[in-house]
Amino acid sequence: MDVFARLRRRRQRLSARARVAGVASAAHAADLGPADPGAVATLAPVHRHPAVPDPTAAAFFDVDNTLLRGASIFWFARGLAAHDYFTTRDMVGFAWKQLKFRATSSEDPDDIASARDSALAFVAGRRVDEIVTHGEQIYDELLAARIWSGTRAFAQLHLDAGQRVYLVTAAPVELARLLARRLGLSGALGTVAETRNGVYTGRLVGDILHGRAKAEAIRALAEREGLDLERCVAYSDSINDLPMLTAAGSAVAINPDPPLRRLARIRGWEVHDFRTGRRAARYALPMAAALAVSVGYAYHRRRR
């Protein structure tokens, strides 16, 4: 078999896995449970008239560095570390990936794959309801304060217009749904881990919801829910989300990495940057935070 044939077969396999991941994620998108009234009330206008439903339009928001400062899987892992899900080495690895993410405002595909593989490893054999219960506490303690208020305001504009709002993330779908529910959004698309009898098996359904898999998930959801993608808007910070951004009729760059900023300028997309502080602070503060996390957890584990 020649090189080009092997490449074609590899692309076909990747496309098939992305399609499976997207369809699986779309099937879980609206399974949120009741919204958190407190979270919604703090961000909603005091006086609001009921929105007139606009059932064929929706907005899709990436999570990491678009809605949330940093990588959601890192903060989730940090919260679970308190329940002995990790070794010190695991936490040091997560801290390093968080440092790279915050310092460069970009996503390394190898780091993403490694982080999700690690996530699957620590949930294997655990009950789904156990992880979700811990997730509620982690949201309150670590995630709520890291939501970009500017991005949340954009989401609220779509809700006020009667449109649905979905999160789209490579993070586990349980974490994605929790975020969406606590923020009063319509649903979430995330990486689906295989379960049997309410227990994680340690395997993925399809692939990580990243890159083309996000676009597949959006298309599958649009088909399920009767959305007109030409009337939809996608928001992201990363050029890695180009398939998702181009799957919707409109795109907005939020806190964009340099390649996405350049592309947005070329294509005339809106750009909004909610990051503040000087360039030095963008590098020094995340480095100090990551180092503190690593050393602190190592010390904590040694004492125990």
Side-chain angles (χ1 to χ4, degrees):
M1 184 183 298
D2 61 33
V3 174
F4 294 107
R6 286 198 296 270
L7 288 174
R8 282 195 299 271
R9 292 193 62 178
R10 183 174 182 272
R11 284 197 297 267
Q12 289 170 353
R13 288 196 299 270
L14 291 174
S15 296
R17 291 173 61 183
R19 174 63 178 168
V20 171
V23 172
S25 185
H28 291 77
D31 184 17
L32 298 183
D36 178 7
V40 178
T42 59
L43 293 162
V46 176
H47 302 291
R48 173 183 290 145
H49 299 290
V52 177
D54 187 358
T56 64
F60 300 98
F61 285 82
D62 171 55
V63 173
D64 294 350
N65 211 35
T66 302
L67 176 70
L68 181 78
R69 295 178 180 89
S72 55
I73 191 65
F74 171 83
W75 297 114
F76 192 52
R78 177 178 163 182
L80 289 178
H83 299 278
D84 293 325
Y85 280 67
F86 297 99
T87 65
T88 301
R89 179 176 296 180
D90 294 329
M91 277 309 303
V92 170
F94 273 108
W96 171 242
K97 292 180 178 66
Q98 172 71 353
L99 167 61
K100 289 179 65 178
F101 184 87
R102 292 294 300 275
T104 63
S105 295
S106 65
E107 298 168 277
D108 185 287
D110 291 335
D111 284 342
I112 291 170
S114 175
R116 301 310 180 257
D117 288 345
S118 299
L120 287 173
F122 73 70
V123 300
R126 301 276 188 171
R127 292 195 57 80
V128 176
D129 54 6
E130 172 190 350
I131 298 297
V132 172
T133 298
H134 290 322
E136 298 286 350
Q137 181 180 357
I138 292 167
Y139 177 88
D140 291 329
E141 294 178 353
L142 297 174
L143 299 181
R146 291 180 168 84
I147 301 295
W148 291 108
S149 59
T151 307
R152 179 62 182 84
F154 274 116
Q156 191 62 53
L157 287 174
H158 287 282
L159 293 173
D160 290 344
Q163 300 172 1
R164 283 171 282 184
V165 176
Y166 296 93
L167 301 181
V168 189
T169 175
V173 70
E174 288 79 16
L175 176 58
R177 289 202 305 257
L178 186 153
L179 282 169
R181 177 171 54 81
R182 296 297 294 268
L183 291 171
L185 308 182
S186 310
L189 297 160
T191 297
V192 179
E194 182 185 80
T195 62
R196 290 183 182 174
N197 300 319
V199 177
Y200 291 106
T201 66
R203 291 186 293 271
L204 286 178
V205 177
D207 206 348
I208 297 166
L209 201 75
H210 181 71
R212 71 180 73 185
K214 286 188 175 182
E216 293 287 358
I218 288 174
R219 294 188 187 101
L221 181 65
E223 186 176 345
R224 289 174 62 94
E225 300 294 329
L227 298 174
D228 179 358
L229 285 178
E230 286 299 315
R231 301 192 63 238
C232 295
V233 186
Y235 295 77
S236 178
D237 72 297
S238 174
I239 195 67
N240 293 320
D241 283 336
L242 185 57
M244 178 181 83
L245 292 169
T246 54
S250 302
V252 178
I254 301 289
N255 306 326
D257 59 22
L260 180 59
R261 186 181 293 274
R262 288 193 295 270
L263 182 64
R265 188 181 303 117
I266 293 170
R267 298 198 175 188
W269 292 345
E270 287 186 36
V271 176
H272 300 276
D273 200 326
F274 303 120
R275 295 166 294 190
T276 58
R278 297 187 178 186
R279 183 181 179 86
R282 286 180 54 204
Y283 285 81
L285 293 180
M287 183 176 294
L291 180 61
V293 168
S294 300
V295 174
Y297 270 98
Y299 175 74
H300 173 71
R301 300 286 297 190
R302 281 201 302 272
R303 289 197 61 185
R304 294 187 62 180

